[in-house]
Amino acid sequence: NAGVMQNPRHLVRRRGQEARLRCSPMKGHSHVYWYRQLPEEGLKFMVYLQKENIIDESGMPKERFSAEFPKEGPSILRIQQVVRGDSAAYFCASSILGQGDYGYTFGSGTRLTVV
Amino acid sequence: KNEVEQSPQNLTAQEGEFITINCSYSVGISALHWLQQHPGGGIVSLFMLSSGKKKHGRLIATINIQEKHSSLHITASHPRDSAVYICAADDGAGSYQLTFGKGTKLSVIP
């Protein structure tokens, strides 16, 4: 039972580069959620995806951020042209059903540092 | 939009003490989650509850729907319980967003 796998655990990018964060949901889970935790702040919802569909992206910044959950492979959170303010911990969670009816399983997070 | 408040922000306890962390929310919810986050570590889901009380080992979570309030209790606290405890409100009703409290940082001293 591998749980939710996120990689990399730590990612360092220079300003202007692209960051790709991966999330493999728990086996049997087809719903994926991304959250961001800025330093000294609480977690904030970013986006909710099912296989090949974005269900709710109301928490995503309008520019530079995108997410996908293809039919095969992990969910990807992509940040283009990173800036210092993107430095944060990004967590992924998965659930069996939408709205976490049976609870959420969280990953260990990816800590992004922009230098 | 739900507002989730936790208290206290920081809590230091002696090993063995009984600990209570409080969470209140402003809008009716379908479920309330308690999460644990160790420094530099991932997030572990402790409880999901929509009514009453749940117990797992030394951890107990209660919720009062009418008062929009939940508590997390730790009995016989231990230094390994030191972590940030986060409550999160699940609004349900078509919303896919958890609204998180800012967390309570617990330090248990031997």
Side-chain angles (χ1 to χ4, degrees), chain B residues 11-19 21 35-39 46 56-60 72-86 104-110:
Chain B
L11 181 56
T12 300
Q14 289 291 133
E15 183 173 356
E17 282 186 9
F18 180 85
I19 287 162
I21 298 170
L35 312 169
Q36 181 193 57
Q37 184 177 26
H38 284 280
L46 298 175
H56 186 255
R58 294 180 295 107
L59 301 178
I60 303 166
L72 177 68
H73 306 285
I74 304 175
T75 61
S77 60
H78 190 277
R80 65 174 173 267
D81 296 327
S82 298
V84 175
Y85 292 84
I86 302 167
T104 295
K105 185 175 180 181
L106 171 65
S107 300
V108 181
I109 299 168

Side-chain angles (χ1 to χ4, degrees), chain A:
Chain A
N1 184 1
V4 176
M5 303 301 292
Q6 287 190 251
N7 66 82
R9 287 293 301 272
H10 300 275
L11 181 61
V12 179
R13 284 287 176 265
R14 294 187 184 280
R15 279 178 295 172
Q17 289 185 319
E18 178 179 287
R20 281 187 176 233
L21 289 61
R22 293 174 193 78
C23 169
S24 296
M26 198 161 170
K27 189 176 180 182
H29 288 191
S30 58
H31 301 257
V32 166
Y33 312 80
W34 285 93
Y35 301 93
R36 178 165 66 173
Q37 187 177 43
L38 291 165
E40 306 304 319
E41 291 190 24
L43 287 149
K44 296 280 195 296
F45 168 83
M46 298 183 76
V47 61
Y48 161 45
L49 310 105
Q50 293 179 33
K51 286 282 187 183
E52 300 183 276
N53 285 303
I54 297 174
I55 307 302
D56 182 351
E57 58 180 346
S58 58
M60 289 272 271
K62 294 286 184 277
E63 298 176 350
R64 301 187 299 108
F65 284 70
S66 62
E68 63 176 5
F69 189 14
K71 189 176 179 182
E72 301 290 338
S75 175
I76 306 284
L77 179 67
R78 184 179 173 209
I79 311 172
Q80 295 178 291
Q81 299 174 316
V82 295
V83 301
R84 289 236 168 94
D86 297 331
S87 295
Y90 292 82
F91 289 92
C92 164
S94 71
S95 66
I96 291 177
L97 297 176
Q99 300 180 250
D101 286 353
Y102 291 91
Y104 300 86
T105 303
F106 285 82
S108 296
T110 292
R111 279 144 187 90
L112 172 66
T113 302
V114 179
V115 298

